[in-house]
Amino acid sequence: MNKVLTSLLSLGVACTAAMAADAAITALKVTDSLDAIKADSAVWSKAKFSSVTLYPQTAIYMNDKKANALAENVKPKAKKVDVAALYDGKNIALMVKWADGTKDIQKGATTTEYGDGFAVQFAGITKLPEALPYIGMGSAGRPVVVHLQKATEKIYEPNGNKDVGLQINRQQTGVFEKDLAEFDNKVASLANTDYERVFVAEGYRSLTEIKDGSVKSSSEMVHASNTWTGTLSRPLKDEYVNLTGTVPVSIAVWDGSKMNRNGIKNLSAWIAVNLDGQKPNAAMIAELTTDPKGNAVKGKEVAAANGCNGCHQIETTDPTSFMAPSLRFVGGYSSAAYLRESIVKPSAVVVPGYNRNAHSNTPWYNLEKGKRVSTMTDYSHLGKAEVDDIVAYLKTLKAEVE
Ligand code: HEC
């Protein structure tokens, strides 16, 4: 490696030390009930806010060139948000505050205007730091529960499917004019802007909405002074999670004016939330708050020697590639354990990539006996120190904070 590169890289490493993983958050125990807590509930005055960094996730592409280009080519930025947590005997509540100068509301009928939104994600049953679910979507046997709240215009979805106002054939207005007006009035009177959803996922393409009421959560979003405040409360324990000690949580926000939706968003890594007064999970806190032990400068050399950037775009100067997900910002939201697993066991979690029909020559996986098998080279032959070094290097790959 030439001198300029080496010194640039050590500079990069020095910077990342300063922007290390987000610290653990403490959820304060309160005696007030957190059932259906709102943004303006008085109990929030007891909460302490911590800064959490949300990184642009670039692994997922959509069939929308413009949105992809906005996410990929326009230098995407990381975003700082403030997070506070509380818990009572029954529920955990989180408040997320983030700056957003444009209040974007999802409009039911239009397809090119997207609403702002936020999500809070909980790792299902895991207590093992090395076996956290894949961030954002969970992984096989390691489910996540995702609470999503979006800013929408008024909608009415009595069957939990689509807004009924959009399910009407409006061609026949001449015949149904009076009935249609009555119908529209009825829908408007029942509609509300509370677009709240809960999902469970165990890997890509497994996202399933929980509609049977088995999760008793409540969330809302309020926009004031160019800032969104999102709140969520949910049970500490239900069919999907059992939150005790140290709880891995992740936060995502969508910015509608940047065409953010679905996979294109800003996402935090797993954050350790300690339930005040309970026994913390020291191994989990260590995994989520300390930098990996490898040598990032060496890791860059090992990655180059092993041809990682033959398939991946890693540095901004590498060409974009259809072969594999971009790793330009992978260090922001991925845990060290996940990165290690990606290298030595590529098929443990398979990022499915582009629409396979559109890019059939460069699939990111093949189906073997119904199982997705990654097309990535298996690097399990690498020594432990080499893998540690690559992981340390990948963890330095983060977008700048806006
Ligand atoms: C032959 C092409 C190829 C090579 C060489 C390759 N990869 Fe990959 N890699 C892929 C593909 C395809 C995926 C997406 C499918 C999957 O998740 O395994 C992937 C996924 C990943 C992911 C997960 C990305 C995410 O967004 O979650 C990481 C991390 C990764 N590779 C690291 C590496 C490292 C480090 C090297 C070099 C030691 C390497 N890869 C070499 C093809 C490759």
Side-chain angles (χ1 to χ4, degrees), residues 11 20 42 64 89 102 108 115 153 198 227 251-252 283 293 327 368:
L11 226 158
D64 179 340
T102 53
E153 64 180 5
V198 192
T227 303
I251 311 279
K293 55 181 179 301
L327 301 182
E368 287 174 22

Side-chain angles (χ1 to χ4, degrees), residues 151-269:
T152 58
E153 64 180 5
K154 278 187 161 193
I155 50 173
Y156 178 52
E157 301 184 326
N159 50 16
N161 291 322
K162 263 188 163 170
D163 185 359
V164 291
L166 300 176
Q167 294 176 18
I168 292 296
N169 178 351
R170 289 177 185 274
Q171 307 301 322
Q172 303 297 333
T173 44
V175 183
F176 293 128
E177 197 149 21
K178 191 165 153 277
D179 297 336
L180 200 57
E182 250 171 48
F183 173 83
D184 283 342
N185 286 340
K186 181 82 181 161
V187 170
S189 72
L190 291 166
N192 66 59
T193 55
D194 187 22
Y195 181 103
E196 184 184 339
R197 299 282 183 276
V198 192
F199 301 92
V200 60
E202 263 191 69
Y204 279 105
R205 295 172 188 156
S206 74
L207 195 70
T208 307
E209 190 179 344
I210 303 170
K211 291 183 188 177
D212 61 4
S214 57
V215 177
K216 304 255 174 299
S217 63
S218 150
S219 65
E220 73 163 349
M221 274 171 78
V222 178
H223 194 259
S225 316
N226 294 326
T227 303
W228 277 111
T229 300
T231 50
L232 165 78
S233 73
R234 65 116 50 236
L236 287 163
K237 188 172 180 189
D238 59 18
E239 203 182 314
Y240 303 95
V241 299
N242 182 9
L243 309 177
T244 57
T246 302
V247 176
V249 172
S250 158
I251 311 279
V253 306
W254 285 261
D255 185 347
S257 63
K258 294 190 180 142
M259 297 184 82
N260 282 181
R261 63 202 189 274
N262 305 337
I264 302 187
K265 58 180 177 280
N266 271 42
L267 174 69
S268 77

